[in-house]
Amino acid sequence: MFYHDSKLQYKVKVDKPDPMFAKMLQQAIGGIEGEIRVCLQYLFQAWGSRGPAKYRDMLLETGTEEISHIEMLATAVALNLEDAPNDIKDEMAEESPIIQAIMGGANPRHYLSAGLAAMAVDSNGVPFNGSWVVGSGNLAADMYANVMAESTGRILATRLWKITEDKGMKDMLSFLIARDTMHQNQWLAVLEEIGGLKGNHPIPNSFPQDKEAGEFSYSFMSTSINDENNQSDTGRWASGESIDGKGNFTFIKAKPHGEKPDLAPPKPEGFAQKEQMKDEDGFIKSVFRDL
């Protein structure tokens, strides 16, 4: 069950309406770095959570908070579409060649489809994609996915903060940036609580490592043929104790351990070309003679 308070989680004020910035804000709503993604990600992780109840409760709390962030951003989009003067785009473009290059104009669907309101799309008008939502059922894997989601979301929010000169929008974004800081730390706190680097890895830690091909578990395989300029053997991953403490890194040259693939001839119902149906002597395979 969910409840709603008619007041926003944090104040949203626009000093100068700007339809181009409204278009950019759509990325923070329906883009891969946006609030719809993290909202649904945390909620689906919670709804499928098994194990200690505190993790489900925490995910529900945070997923619900993210609904509030969608609401704030949708309000910001609507306010930026109200009574926006026509010369704002030209004024901003004159101040920054970069902004001039990326502006491209307002999203006409804000008016045509939504009546001056936000939509569940990104800044290019592409609808939100549910396949971005990660909920693996493995707590550690999901927490890493959540750290990544909050990290890219915070990057996006900081870029939006830099682009706008509107004090109200900077204030709103500073709040969202702060919440991203908390949520990054929150997911990392879960990872620390359930075992840290050595306890959690390799994920899933419930699979017995003696069942994997151990000779390849901690070997960095170099596929480089330009040895003079290759520096991949100088990194932390190339030597010394592994991060999970269960092995030692080695640096090896990649080489084939399998055989050359030998596939069966095409199936008749697949209708490959006749040339594909011939054997090494140039005869059509008998399986095709009844076609």
Side-chain angles (χ1 to χ4, degrees):
M1 180 181 291
F2 293 88
Y3 296 94
H4 178 256
D5 191 314
S6 61
K7 295 180 180 178
L8 296 174
Q9 185 186 18
Y10 190 80
K11 57 184 179 293
V12 177
K13 181 182 178 183
V14 173
D15 297 323
K16 276 189 174 183
D18 181 356
M20 278 65 71
F21 192 65
K23 180 180 179 181
M24 293 183 188
L25 285 173
Q26 283 290 159
Q27 192 67 21
I29 296 176
I32 192 170
E33 312 94 340
E35 301 289 353
I36 294 179
R37 188 260 181 94
V38 291
C39 170
L40 293 180
Q41 184 156 303
Y42 305 157
L43 290 178
F44 273 96
Q45 288 175 6
W47 294 328
S49 179
R50 301 175 189 275
K54 64 180 178 179
Y55 300 118
R56 180 181 187 274
D57 292 343
M58 177 196 62
L59 284 161
L60 282 172
E61 299 252 33
T62 307
T64 305
E65 180 189 354
E66 301 294 358
I67 301 176
S68 302
H69 298 172
I70 302 170
E71 182 181 32
M72 289 168 56
L73 287 162
T75 302
V77 168
L79 291 175
N80 271 288
L81 295 172
E82 289 183 0
D83 302 321
N86 294 328
D87 61 350
I88 287 182
K89 177 181 175 182
D90 295 335
E91 179 182 330
M92 293 185 67
E94 288 176 2
E95 294 175 359
S96 171
I98 296 177
I99 294 178
Q100 183 179 27
I102 65 176
M103 277 295 189
N107 185 351
R109 288 197 61 213
H110 274 154
Y111 172 72
L112 297 174
S113 301
L116 301 181
M119 298 177 291
V121 301
D122 67 11
S123 57
N124 288 322
V126 179
F128 174 77
N129 189 333
S131 67
W132 298 333
V133 173
V134 175
S136 70
N138 180 289
L139 184 61
D142 285 350
M143 291 305 106
Y144 278 115
N146 294 351
V147 171
M148 184 280 291
E150 290 288 345
S151 299
T152 53
R154 192 172 189 273
I155 291 169
L156 173 63
T158 57
R159 289 172 178 167
L160 289 167
W161 184 94
K162 179 65 175 177
I163 287 171
T164 185
E165 295 300 325
D166 189 286
K167 292 181 179 179
M169 288 293 90
K170 278 189 179 293
D171 184 46
M172 178 197 73
L173 289 165
S174 71
F175 172 80
L176 295 176
I177 292 167
R179 296 310 296 153
D180 289 338
T181 297
M182 172 56 194
H183 293 157
Q184 286 183 38
N185 280 271
Q186 180 177 319
W187 308 133
L188 290 170
V190 176
L191 287 164
E192 181 184 87
E193 182 176 88
I194 65 174
L197 284 174
K198 292 191 175 182
N200 288 316
H201 291 269
I203 298 170
N205 60 6
S206 56
F207 183 85
Q209 278 199 271
D210 60 5
K211 302 298 183 184
E212 65 184 74
E215 65 268 33
F216 303 110
S217 296
Y218 299 101
S219 297
F220 180 89
M221 291 188 180
S222 173
T223 56
S224 172
I225 59 173
N226 187 6
D227 292 334
E228 293 181 0
N229 298 322
N230 182 33
Q231 298 184 33
S232 59
D233 61 341
T234 64
R236 170 67 178 89
W237 55 85
S239 64
E241 185 182 49
S242 62
I243 299 301
D244 61 16
K246 298 169 185 174
N248 288 289
F249 289 132
T250 58
F251 183 91
I252 63 175
K253 285 291 185 181
K255 62 180 181 179
H257 295 275
E259 305 297 331
K260 183 178 179 179
D262 184 18
L263 304 181
K267 295 288 186 182
E269 59 270 24
F271 291 99
Q273 290 298 96
K274 291 185 293 183
E275 289 76 10
Q276 294 174 258
M277 303 175 189
K278 295 179 180 179
D279 60 22
E280 292 182 356
D281 298 321
F283 294 102
I284 301 292
K285 298 285 185 181
S286 60
V287 292
F288 297 100
R289 290 172 182 168
D290 298 331
L291 289 177

